[in-house]
């Protein structure tokens, strides 16, 4: 995978974030999502690459979403060999969530981002549209905490690995009825809980950086977001584990009511997953030799600022992390969109 692609990929998430942020606070989540999707597609299709969406926003008939199997990039054209280099002709897999936290954007709340992960072909787990039980933790706890252990056990291990008391730990959990027991157990163990309404990708990645005051993510979110989080945590050397949730009773949401346990197990079998209880780590969910994660804040978050408009342009903050460059690069960009802005404010 060409290292220089990361520069263009930053623009992909920047454009998605800018487009989506225009809908910030307007109460229209579908519009916020669609704007991000269209901007992401448009910018990706200008890159000299041969990409294929492996985690997207749905199936082909659900246009205008970036659908699973959609080919993106200039080098997907039939005569690409005439104008693309051998390197650019290598197939790459792309997992996208153009608007991660659509509700957050619609209601003007913190923590939404435009995100994607890329790797060489086959380098990203093609997660089904399932729920996933997740455990993310800082690099110091990698391989010590384990999703198969109880939250209480993991908090003890975390406190030892991070050399702080359990009371000094903050665990992010999605605020959902399914997490009632989990939240009680974390609190009973002495740790503090930060409840979020949406956006568990951001919470997972925050565990990869000291100074965010987030020490673990626990609980059930969506599987596609799990793969994107795993890609980032693989690059950062943090801990990430995920287990697909096939039993609707575990989540008990209107969405899961459409499924049955047996039907889900059959779906997994069709995909070649025999063991529905398998625990995947970051290296399995993002197994490629080269893995890259990029995200751009739509609304302000712990890791990144949101999009800030000024007369004649806007300013974005992005994060790009890759196994190849061994960098976590925060990119601060001023986009000049108008004719001649009167002020370009650095503060
Ligand atoms: O909050 C989320 C929503 O993502 P999006 O639809 O792209 O705006 C994700 O971070 C969650 O991982 C996940 O999608 C969620 O937990 C599943 O939804 P729910 O049934 O409400 O928990
Ligand atoms: Mn999402
Ligand atoms: Mn989304």
């Amino acid at each position: 995978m060409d290292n220089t692609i990361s520069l263009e990929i930053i623009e992909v998430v920047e454009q998605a974030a800018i487009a989506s942020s225009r809908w910030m606070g307007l109460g229209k989540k579908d519009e916020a999502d669609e704007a991000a999707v269209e901007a992401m597609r448009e910018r990706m299709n200008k890159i000299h690459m041969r990409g294929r969406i492996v985690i997207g926003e749905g199936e082909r008939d659900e246009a205008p979403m970036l659908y699973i199997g959609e080919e993106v990039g200039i080098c997907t054209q039939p005569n690409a060999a005439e104008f693309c280099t051998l390197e650019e002709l290598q197939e790459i897999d792309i997992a996208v969530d153009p608007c991660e936290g659509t509700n957050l954007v619609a209601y003007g709340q913190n923590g939404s981002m435009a995100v994607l992960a890329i790797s060489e072909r086959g380098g990203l787990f093609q997660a089904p549209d399932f729920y996933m039980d997740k455990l993310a933790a800082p690099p110091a706890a990698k391989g010590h905490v384990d999703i198969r252990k109880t939250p209480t056990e993991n908090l003890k291990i975390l406190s030892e690995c991070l050399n702080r008391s359990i009371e000094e730990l903050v665990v992010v959990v999605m605020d959902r009825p399914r997490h009632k027991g989990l939240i009680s157990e974390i609190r009973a163990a002495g740790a503090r809980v930060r409840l979020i309404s949406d956006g568990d990708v951001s919470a997972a990645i925050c565990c990869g950086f000291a100074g965010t005051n987030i020490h673990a993510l626990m609980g059930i979110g969506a599987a596609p977001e799990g793969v994107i989080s795993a890609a980032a945590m693989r690059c950062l050397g943090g801990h990430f584990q995920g287990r697909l949730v096939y039993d609707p009773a575990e989540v008990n949401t209107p969405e899961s009511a459409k499924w049955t346990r047996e039907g889900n197990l059959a779906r997994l079998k069709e995909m070649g997953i025999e063991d529905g209880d398998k625990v995947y780590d970051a290296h399995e969910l993002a197994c490629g030799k080269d893995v890259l994660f990029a995200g751009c804040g739509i609304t302000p978050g712990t890791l990144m600022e949101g999009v800030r408009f000024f007369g004649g342009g806007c300013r974005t903050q992005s994060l790009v992390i890759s196994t190849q460059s061994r960098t976590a690069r925060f990119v601060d960009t001023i986009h000049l969109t108008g004719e001649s802005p009167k002020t370009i404010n650095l503060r």
Side-chain angles (χ1 to χ4, degrees), residues 47-332:
I47 303 180
H48 268 247
M49 67 174 181
R50 191 171 166 204
R52 184 181 58 138
I53 305 297
V54 292
I55 288 182
E57 297 272 295
E59 307 297 331
R60 181 191 282 267
D61 55 357
E62 290 173 33
M65 297 303 166
L66 270 159
Y67 61 84
I68 296 162
E70 180 169 344
E71 296 195 325
V72 287
I74 291 176
C75 307
T76 54
Q77 292 172 25
N79 58 339
E82 292 168 22
F83 47 83
C84 296
T85 64
L86 275 180
E87 179 83 36
E88 290 165 351
L89 286 167
Q90 299 303 311
E91 288 175 302
I92 58 174
D93 283 354
I94 310 175
V96 300
D97 193 346
C99 183
E100 154 63 359
T102 41
N103 285 320
L104 301 173
V105 180
Y107 301 114
Q109 292 162 348
N110 286 6
S112 60
M113 308 183 292
V115 290
L116 59 74
I118 62 179
S119 186
E120 70 271 6
R121 184 130 201 207
L124 298 170
F125 180 66
Q126 297 192 25
D129 191 15
F130 272 44
Y131 281 93
M132 180 184 268
D133 192 16
K134 309 174 189 181
L135 174 64
K142 188 181 171 199
H144 298 288
V145 289
D146 192 319
I147 201 167
R148 285 161 285 223
K149 294 188 166 115
T150 66
T152 310
E153 288 171 318
N154 280 326
L155 288 169
K156 278 188 193 138
I157 298 167
L158 254 183
S159 98
E160 282 157 24
C161 293
L162 301 182
N163 197 24
R164 58 172 67 210
S165 69
I166 295 183
E167 288 71 21
E168 289 167 344
L169 296 173
V170 176
V171 183
V172 175
V173 180
M174 292 194 76
D175 192 4
R176 298 288 187 279
R178 61 179 175 265
H179 292 144
K180 199 167 168 262
L182 172 66
I183 294 164
S184 306
E185 183 172 342
I186 296 170
R187 286 176 177 156
R192 291 164 300 148
V193 179
R194 200 158 134 185
L195 292 172
I196 55 166
S197 64
D198 290 276
D200 67 356
V201 175
S202 168
I205 301 172
C206 280
C207 298
F209 294 96
T212 56
N213 202 29
I214 292 175
H215 308 105
L217 165 76
M218 293 183 184
I220 297 173
E225 277 86 342
V227 176
I228 296 176
S229 305
M233 290 300 266
R234 156 102 193 267
C235 299
L236 293 170
H239 183 95
F240 189 89
Q241 286 173 304
R243 175 185 60 82
L244 294 170
V245 176
Y246 56 82
D247 189 347
E250 236 187 291
V251 272
N252 199 16
T253 60
E255 187 59 24
S256 70
K258 297 178 204 154
W259 305 320
T260 63
R261 188 179 185 277
E262 293 66 35
N264 278 347
L265 281 169
R267 272 174 72 197
L268 290 181
K269 257 204 173 123
E270 270 170 39
M271 298 179 61
I273 301 172
E274 293 291 331
D275 178 7
D277 296 307
K278 181 174 163 49
V279 170
Y280 298 87
D281 66 24
H283 278 80
E284 291 168 302
L285 295 171
C287 68
K289 185 172 82 59
D290 299 325
V291 173
L292 180 146
F293 164 89
C296 180
I298 304 175
T299 53
T302 305
L303 286 172
M304 286 168 279
E305 290 287 352
V307 178
R308 288 141 292 156
F309 290 99
F310 54 85
C314 66
R315 189 167 176 183
T316 56
Q317 200 182 13
S318 311
L319 168 64
V320 58
I321 330 170
S322 96
T323 51
Q324 204 175 11
S325 67
R326 306 283 297 131
T327 51
R329 181 171 283 131
F330 286 89
V331 181
D332 187 345

